[in-house]
Amino acid sequence: HIALDTAVWPEGTPGFVLDAFARQHLWRAGADYGHGTGHGVGAALNVHEGPMGISRKFEIQEPLKEGMVLSNEPGYYVPGEYGIRIENLVLVRRADVGTTGGKKFFKFEKLTMIPIQTKGLVNVEDLTEGELDWIDDYHREVWEKVGARMADGTIGKEWLRRNCEKIRRTHQQ
């Protein structure tokens, strides 16, 4: 999820090229998931809208363009036991990284603003400092955008505050 969320790519890139960003860590562990990593959302108020998508399907050739909304939803599943999927919506935006040969570059902007459930579910030792920083930065953004809209002293705001706390780090890299 984090690797895809932080990706930067050149203009003209179709979603299947980005799919490996999300799968790379599972592949290193000999695992995979049997669904696409992302799909288009919203043009006709449907879910799973094309023509764009992020998956292993090479036939999806539509380049990701500024203004497109897609899901970012890799998963990990142990058949008959449990599954984990973080599904957020993202917006394709211009990345401020310069140009090569006049080509634009793009990145994702997060649209979904809800904390990722980390307490008891994330093994901190398995994440890099950069990945932990990404989670903390995301939670800070959620708190600033959503918390500001909630009434002080409510159960909901207290839940949000607890779930947006910085991750306790037990290691240094």
Side-chain angles (χ1 to χ4, degrees):
H1 185 90
I2 295 171
L4 182 60
D5 187 80
T6 59
V8 174
W9 66 92
E11 179 179 32
T13 302
F16 77 82
V17 174
L18 300 180
D19 188 67
F21 283 70
R23 295 177 191 270
Q24 66 180 317
H25 300 291
L26 287 174
W27 287 348
R28 284 188 196 126
D32 201 359
Y33 50 91
H35 59 78
T37 299
H39 54 78
V41 177
L45 299 178
N46 290 314
V47 178
H48 299 111
E49 290 187 12
M52 73 293 205
I54 302 170
S55 77
R56 294 179 293 188
K57 296 178 180 176
F58 297 123
E59 64 269 15
I60 300 177
Q61 294 289 317
E62 181 68 25
L64 300 183
K65 299 173 187 153
E66 189 168 12
M68 288 181 166
V69 175
L70 297 103
S71 64
N72 175 1
E73 54 178 295
Y76 175 73
Y77 310 93
V78 177
E81 293 185 39
Y82 65 90
I84 301 166
R85 185 189 302 198
I86 299 171
E87 182 171 351
N88 286 2
L89 296 183
V90 292
L91 174 67
V92 177
R93 288 292 220 199
R94 183 95 178 261
D96 187 19
V97 296
T99 61
T100 300
K103 208 172 239 201
K104 298 175 194 168
F105 283 79
F106 298 104
K107 65 179 183 176
F108 290 121
E109 176 185 321
K110 297 170 211 55
L111 296 177
T112 303
M113 291 288 127
I114 190 77
I116 296 170
Q117 299 300 294
T118 58
K119 291 174 177 57
L121 298 175
V122 172
N123 186 354
V124 174
E125 288 78 23
D126 289 342
L127 299 177
T128 67
E129 284 298 312
E131 290 166 334
L132 292 168
D133 288 345
W134 181 94
I135 294 170
D136 284 342
D137 290 344
Y138 174 66
H139 285 165
R140 182 174 27 263
E141 183 179 2
V142 170
W143 175 249
E144 289 170 0
K145 290 183 175 178
V146 179
R149 300 174 66 94
M150 299 176 80
D152 290 338
T154 61
I155 293 170
K157 189 163 187 176
E158 177 56 23
W159 176 90
L160 186 69
R161 185 197 59 73
R162 281 193 320 271
N163 285 279
C164 288
E165 290 175 346
K166 287 187 115 184
I167 292 177
R168 292 195 181 137
R169 299 170 192 223
T170 59
H171 72 295
Q172 294 292 326
Q173 288 184 323

